């Protein structure tokens, strides 16, 4: 039967990969203490890691309430991944004035001060609507309804001269549907997300189901403000720019998120864990702030192993030029971002990116 099958897969996962966070914290006596309803919900959250023993985390929430309803399990998962020894206390704070001591004189996080020129910078947050299941548990109908709700929101933005732009849908038959060729162009331009059905972790979790129905993205007239619909979270809201001052993308995202929250209604939120996301790694701020920078010495030979080893103690993650699980650039360009998302404030993340760039560039010089 399916229940004993997945329990068997979890046990086998622990043997195959004792470090996987999902199986490490799966406690059979806790599982057995649950009602049938909560048992099924817990197993649904563990399915991705049960089927993919190479997962680092292996857990995705299916409902915004999973984090609180299954707290005895999720709290262990979250505190382990985010390395939080005590009770998680997350605070939202975008106000750069409160971190003035970490800002250079004048308050600008100016990359020219670090010896860089025009740099590709991006800040995104994951957000989910409180009114739908999380993507792993959405039916095709949920996905189409959510996209229709979002189209109404984007119509307001498109009519607003401050935003303008277009909505591009992958839904077959949608009035906003784009061609395969244009979709590939958007992916290459770092505007649109890649084919999720190819991601085995997302596929197992149900997050890639009904692809490409209900998927799309809004792009502002100047292409600097983008909202993904139907990826790992209901929404990924981001600002992107090729420039030199990090404040530009950060401040614009703050204002764009306020606009989105005002027109979308409240986003799913947990008292303990801040903004709710599908993957426990993104909880809290849901924020990833990144730049593309060239570190040819630390990536000599085309491998990112050394760069990752140097970046980890600096609190930085290294990704490839197409995002997570993609190769680094042939010229040694990588995507770097502060790893922390939870129990850190938004304003601290952007400072951590600036400090991280400085530290990594010093390591590059030494290498
Ligand atoms: P996420 O950041 O939402 O977790 P990915 O890591 O998959 O997702 O990245 C999504 C897309 O954003 C990819 O095309 C990636 O190259 C692009 N991207 C990330 N950071 C930057 C940046 N600083 N400049 C330009 N594109 C970026
Ligand atoms: C995993 O567990 O490896 C996948 N479900 C992805 C986890 C999120 N990404 C990450 O930690 N970098």
């Amino acid at each position: 039967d399916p229940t004993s099958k997945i329990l068997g897969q979890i046990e086998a996962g622990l043997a195959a990969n004792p470090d996987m966070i999902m199986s490490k914290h799966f406690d059979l006596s806790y599982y057995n203490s649950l009602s049938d309803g909560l048992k099924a919900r817990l197993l649904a959250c563990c399915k991705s890691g049960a089927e993919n023993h190479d997962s680092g985390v292996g857990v995705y929430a299916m409902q915004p309430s999973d984090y609180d309803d299954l707290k005895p399990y999720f709290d262990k998962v979250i505190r382990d991944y985010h390395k939080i020894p005590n009770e998680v206390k997350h605070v939202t704070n975008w106000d750069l004035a409160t971190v003035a001591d970490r800002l250079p004189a004048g308050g600008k996080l100016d990359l020219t001060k670090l010896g860089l020129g025009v740099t590709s910078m991006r800040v995104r947050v994951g957000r989910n609507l409180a009114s739908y299941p999380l993507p792993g548990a959405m039916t095709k109908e949920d996905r189409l309804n959510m996209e229709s709700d979002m189209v109404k929101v984007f119509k307001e933005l498109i009519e607003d001269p401050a935003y303008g732009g277009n909505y591009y849908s992958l839904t077959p038959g949608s009035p906003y549907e784009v061609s395969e060729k244009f979709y590939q162009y958007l992916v290459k331009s770092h505007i649109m997300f890649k084919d999720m059905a190819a991601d085995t972790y997302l596929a197992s979790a149900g997050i890639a189901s009904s692809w490409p129905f209900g998927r799309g993205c809004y792009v502002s007239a100047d292409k600097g403000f983008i909202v993904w619909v139907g990826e790992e979270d209901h929404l990924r809201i981001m600002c992107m720019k090729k420039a030199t001052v990090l404040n530009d993308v950060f401040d614009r995202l703050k204002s764009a998120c306020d606009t989105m929250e005002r027109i979308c209604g409240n986003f799913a939120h947990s008292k303990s864990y801040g903004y709710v996301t599908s993957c426990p790694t993104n909880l809290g701020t849901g924020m990833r702030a990144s730049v593309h920078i060239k570190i040819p010495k630390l990536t000599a030979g085309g491998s990112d192993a050394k760069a990752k080893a140097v970046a980890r103690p600096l609190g930085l993650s290294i990704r490839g030029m197409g995002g997570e699980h993609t190769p680094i650039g042939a010229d040694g360009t990588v995507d770097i971002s502060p790893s922390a998302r939870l129990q850190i404030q938004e304003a601290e993340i952007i400072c951590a990116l600036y400090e991280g760039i400085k530290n990594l560039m010093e390591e590059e010089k030494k290498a």
Side-chain angles (χ1 to χ4, degrees), residues 296-365:
K297 290 186 196 161
L298 289 171
T299 55
S303 158
D304 62 6
K306 182 153 193 215
K308 281 187 170 163
V310 168
R312 195 171 304 119
L314 298 174
L316 297 173
S317 300
I318 303 252
R319 292 187 180 185
M321 290 306 287
E324 195 169 29
H325 310 134
T326 63
I328 60 169
D331 63 351
T333 305
V334 296
D335 165 332
I336 70 162
S337 56
S339 310
R341 311 258 191 278
L342 179 65
Q343 205 158 284
I344 182 169
Q345 299 171 7
E346 287 78 357
E348 294 172 318
I349 291 180
I350 200 73
C351 294
L353 176 60
Y354 185 78
E355 291 153 8
I357 296 167
K358 183 168 183 273
N359 293 334
L360 193 67
M361 285 176 55
E362 277 162 15
E363 293 299 327
E364 168 71 10
K365 254 181 226 152

Side-chain angles (χ1 to χ4, degrees), residues 11 14 25 37 68 75 144 187 191 201 208 210 272 279 293 316 356:
E11 202 186 335
L14 186 61
H25 296 293
D68 293 320
D75 203 60
L144 293 172
V187 173
I191 290 174
Y201 310 102
S210 311
S272 317
C279 186
I293 62 163
L316 297 173

Side-chain angles (χ1 to χ4, degrees), residues 41-206:
R41 283 172 62 185
L42 178 58
L43 293 184
C45 296
C46 296
K47 188 165 173 282
S48 186
E51 293 179 1
N52 297 280
H53 291 168
D54 63 343
S55 296
V57 183
V59 190
Y60 293 97
M62 296 291 132
Q63 305 286 338
S65 55
D66 283 348
Y67 290 109
D68 293 320
D69 294 349
L70 296 164
K71 188 164 181 170
Y73 177 69
F74 270 109
D75 203 60
K76 287 191 274 181
V77 165
I78 293 162
R79 284 169 46 201
D80 183 351
Y81 177 83
H82 294 277
K83 299 184 178 60
I84 298 174
N86 306 112
E87 194 194 335
V88 179
K89 289 207 170 85
H90 183 80
V91 173
T92 298
N93 173 34
W94 291 73
D95 185 2
L96 286 173
T98 61
V99 291
D101 56 325
R102 285 174 71 175
L103 300 174
K108 293 283 180 219
L109 298 164
D110 183 349
L111 301 181
T112 64
K113 299 270 160 47
L114 305 180
L116 287 170
V118 169
T119 300
S120 184
M121 46 183 75
R122 172 179 180 267
V123 188
R124 63 87 164 154
V125 294
R127 292 288 185 267
N128 289 282
L129 305 175
S131 47
Y132 286 95
L134 290 172
M138 288 174 99
T139 61
K140 185 174 168 187
E141 194 185 9
D142 287 331
R143 295 179 193 280
L144 293 172
N145 288 339
M146 196 192 82
E147 187 186 27
S148 304
D149 292 351
M150 290 311 301
V151 162
K152 289 181 202 131
V153 167
F154 298 138
K155 275 188 179 151
E156 282 192 44
L157 294 182
I158 291 165
E159 281 160 22
D160 181 342
Y163 294 101
N166 293 94
Y167 179 68
Y168 302 115
S169 179
L170 303 188
T171 299
S174 158
Y176 303 94
E177 187 183 0
V178 295
S179 68
E180 176 64 20
K181 204 174 156 197
F182 188 71
Y183 165 60
Q184 292 304 338
Y185 157 79
L186 291 175
V187 173
K188 273 207 193 78
S189 315
H190 307 281
I191 290 174
M192 185 52 168
F193 47 98
K194 42 187 198 294
D195 182 343
M196 298 162 74
D199 184 316
T200 160
Y201 310 102
L202 297 182
S204 282

